[in-house]
Amino acid sequence: METRELCYLDNNATTRVAPEVTAAMLPFFEKQWGNASSAYSFGSNVAKHLEKAREQIATLINADPREIVFTSCGTESTNTAIHSALLTQPRKRHVLTTAVEHSATLNYARFLKGQGYEVTFFPVEPDGTLDLFLLEKSIRSDTAIVSVMWANNETGVLFPIDEIAAMCRSHEVQFHTDAVQVPGKLPIDVRNIGSDYLSLSGHKLHAPKGIGILHVKKQVKFHPYIIGGQQERGRRGGTENVPYIVGFGRAAELASASLNDENTRVRKLRDRLETAILETIPKTVRNGAREPRLPNTANISFVGVEAEAILLLLDRVGICASSGSACTTGSLKPSHVLTAMGLKPKLAQGAVRFSLGIYNTEKDVDYVLHHLPGIIQKLRGLSPTSVAKQKPAAGK
Ligand SMILES: *Cc1c(COP(=O)(O)O)cnc(C)c1O
């Protein structure tokens, strides 16, 4: 088989670690490997870099650095926010979230329901948006926290979280937003939003997998999720993952710098890809509102074709895309997001997500548009000759 470059269009699943991030991290593996909590300077010097990273991330989201708690991932951050709200308000036993959250929120909320808490999984409209009037009506006197994602990882649909945060404030209910898909794509200003908690994950913004933050507003009473040492001023036990934290800090700087590229060049690439697919391949539909939407995400259903089959054939020519969240890939269950939008199983099963990023070029879009129409035609069984042509040679 010929060697070809990877055509990576799955940036909502994870992103390539930026070379600048790797460079920033290396000294903390090779030389400055001390424990940030140690009294001697070999340790306390490391702590300075930890605090610098905290400031870099605080700058990205316009927060006070002391409001940033480092965690192991986005999942830990969302779990921590909801857990904290419930433990600090023991008489409030209701959680309000949406039916389209990432499994990091959804499955934790399901777990809580099994533990006897009351949970509302608020539905979405057919275009993936929220009816805010009805959402407000779902806030109860015993609601401990409202947790609503900012940008949907499958469709890219944006929720008006500043309005939802204001709604929560007027009801004196805490608000958490899973903003994992947002950095580098939209500006983030926690002071302006007025959220109590906000979650981010490093590997969605060109830092490594396995590092996240939870922003906790100063005025909010907090209860830790991981209990141990006094790291993170008692808010998260466990020796700090210094290299990854330093990398996340550098990635936060890069995310601010790439805002413009994502919203101009990457948006144009996404639009060109989406428009060409919808116009040239018959029986295709975009899933989710066109706007407001992340600039990098396109979710398209190919009627009558299984997404898994499309992904397999795309993979053979080196194209990485996804059929929804990576966590559900492998099971043929249609995406919970598309199901919540009311898509019939036949449409939901044919949905492919393309998510672009700053490392994509026109060449990637050309390459997909070169291969995809034939793949769809082949899978629809319209052209037996193209099937024969694309079959790998025997023995490979
Ligand atoms: C990836 C993702 C998460 C989970 O982050 P991890 O660091 O992988 O745990 C949570 N929410 C959204 C919207 C995501 O895209």
Side-chain angles (χ1 to χ4, degrees):
M1 226 185 264
E2 86 218 61
T3 49
R4 51 175 88 76
E5 275 177 52
L6 192 68
C7 180
Y8 188 78
L9 299 175
D10 203 14
N11 285 275
N12 289 9
T14 196
T15 59
R16 170 185 162 188
V17 177
E20 297 93 327
V21 169
T22 309
M25 288 169 61
L26 279 178
F28 297 91
F29 288 112
E30 293 170 351
K31 295 191 196 93
Q32 294 171 266
W33 42 261
N35 188 323
S37 302
S38 300
Y40 42 79
S41 54
F42 183 60
S44 54
N45 282 343
V46 167
K48 283 180 198 152
H49 292 275
L50 212 133
E51 294 317 310
K52 184 186 165 199
R54 201 185 302 280
E55 282 166 26
Q56 288 166 318
I57 293 164
T59 302
L60 175 72
I61 65 173
N62 193 29
D64 183 323
R66 287 169 297 182
E67 296 174 317
I68 307 292
V69 180
F70 287 107
T71 65
S72 69
C73 59
T75 302
E76 185 191 323
S77 300
T78 61
N79 280 219
T80 302
I82 298 170
H83 174 261
S84 171
L86 290 171
L87 265 91
T88 53
Q89 310 166 93
R91 277 193 304 238
K92 295 186 168 186
R93 296 187 60 85
H94 176 239
V95 174
L96 173 54
T97 187
T98 80
V100 296
E101 299 295 310
H102 187 275
S103 51
T105 304
L106 206 59
N107 284 337
Y108 189 59
R110 284 182 184 140
F111 161 78
L112 289 170
K113 202 171 167 186
Q115 296 290 307
Y117 288 95
E118 288 186 56
V119 181
T120 302
F121 298 95
F122 191 78
V124 293
E125 303 298 302
D127 65 354
T129 59
L130 292 172
D131 183 328
L132 291 194
F133 177 77
L134 291 180
L135 182 69
E136 180 159 22
K137 284 197 172 285
S138 303
I139 298 175
R140 311 184 338 194
S141 58
D142 64 339
T143 304
I145 189 164
V146 175
S147 186
V148 175
M149 70 200 314
W150 189 339
N152 189 277
N153 48 299
E154 292 193 31
T155 59
V157 168
L158 302 176
F159 288 149
I161 49 135
D162 44 352
E163 286 177 60
I164 299 168
M167 192 189 276
C168 291
R169 266 197 311 282
S170 76
H171 291 270
E172 294 177 18
V173 172
Q174 293 190 355
F175 177 62
H176 164 248
T177 187
D178 169 354
V180 169
Q181 288 295 339
V182 179
K185 301 167 192 164
L186 298 172
I188 304 176
D189 183 339
V190 289
R191 292 201 185 122
N192 190 39
I193 300 163
S195 47
D196 298 294
Y197 299 97
L198 180 141
S199 295
L200 296 182
S201 170
H203 75 103
K204 306 293 172 80
L205 58 132
H206 305 288
K209 296 149 196 67
I211 187 74
I213 63 111
L214 179 65
H215 170 260
V216 186
K217 195 162 79 178
K218 225 174 297 170
Q219 298 82 349
V220 171
K221 231 177 125 192
F222 182 77
H223 195 286
Y225 187 69
I226 307 274
I227 296 170
Q230 285 304 301
Q231 292 91 353
E232 298 299 284
R233 297 198 289 130
R235 291 171 300 176
R236 204 273 187 182
T239 305
E240 302 88 345
N241 188 345
V242 175
Y244 281 38
I245 289 173
V246 167
F248 195 175
R250 184 72 183 105
E253 285 185 340
L254 298 172
S256 299
S258 62
L259 260 182
N260 182 47
D261 188 44
E262 285 269 8
N263 283 284
T264 53
R265 193 185 60 86
V266 176
R267 182 187 292 274
K268 272 193 209 127
L269 291 178
R270 187 276 311 268
D271 287 346
R272 181 160 85 84
L273 177 69
E274 180 173 89
T275 307
I277 292 173
L278 294 174
E279 285 179 359
T280 64
I281 304 180
K283 293 202 233 161
T284 47
V285 259
R286 178 188 41 246
N287 296 315
R290 205 170 100 77
E291 292 295 338
R293 188 166 53 137
L294 289 175
N296 76 318
T297 309
N299 189 308
I300 298 169
S301 279
F302 298 84
V303 182
V305 193
E306 289 275 354
E308 302 302 322
I310 302 172
L311 296 179
L312 207 84
L313 295 188
L314 286 174
D315 184 32
R316 281 198 199 160
V317 292
I319 299 169
C320 304
S322 151
S323 64
S325 58
C327 320
T328 51
T329 301
S331 67
L332 271 172
K333 239 177 85 187
S335 133
H336 70 277
V337 174
L338 301 179
T339 304
M341 287 159 61
L343 261 78
K344 298 261 164 5
K346 246 180 84 180
L347 260 187
Q349 273 159 4
V352 175
R353 175 188 72 188
F354 300 96
S355 51
L356 286 70
I358 51 170
Y359 295 116
N360 288 120
T361 64
E362 297 282 353
K363 254 175 64 183
D364 295 316
V365 174
D366 292 340
Y367 188 72
V368 175
L369 293 175
H370 174 73
H371 284 286
L372 188 58
I375 287 172
I376 301 301
Q377 202 174 43
K378 172 182 167 178
L379 291 172
R380 282 179 175 155
L382 293 178
S383 167
T385 49
S386 67
V387 176
K389 219 166 47 195
Q390 286 187 15
K391 252 190 195 148
K396 288 204 179 172

